[in-house]
Amino acid sequence: MDTVIALKHPEGYTPEMGADFTVKFEKSRHLFGRDTAGFEARLITDKQGRQAWEVEELTESNYDRVVKLANDGHSQAAIVKQLKIHKSNVSRAWTKAIANGDITPEAIKSAS
């Protein structure tokens, strides 16, 4: 396969929201750079009753999500499970965030 796309419901999704997905390229042999950026797509109905796709770029990176969860008191193992990314990615983001001062000392203590 040249392209593999993952479709998932966004965090906080409920069935009442209808067609609402995050779209991420897990493999893309012939796409590069901005063409592989993830996005959220939702089917909306305008005032005239016409349906259209509303698309919004995903701006929060794995780094940002690791920092947020770490500062909320989650351990690295819990972050791996929640974000469904490899533990080495979480570890690298965690180490970088500590060096940058993005993870608070309190979060480090509570995650231990």
Side-chain angles (χ1 to χ4, degrees), residues 1-7 24-29 31:
M1 286 191 224
D2 288 336
T3 305
V4 177
I5 300 171
L7 297 176
K24 293 185 181 179
F25 291 86
E26 293 186 340
K27 179 180 177 184
S28 54
R29 284 204 176 137
L31 300 173

Side-chain angles (χ1 to χ4, degrees), residues 67-84:
V67 168
K68 180 180 183 306
L69 290 170
N71 285 323
D72 287 344
H74 296 276
S75 67
Q76 288 188 48
I79 294 170
V80 167
K81 286 181 182 177
Q82 186 163 347
L83 297 182
K84 295 179 176 89

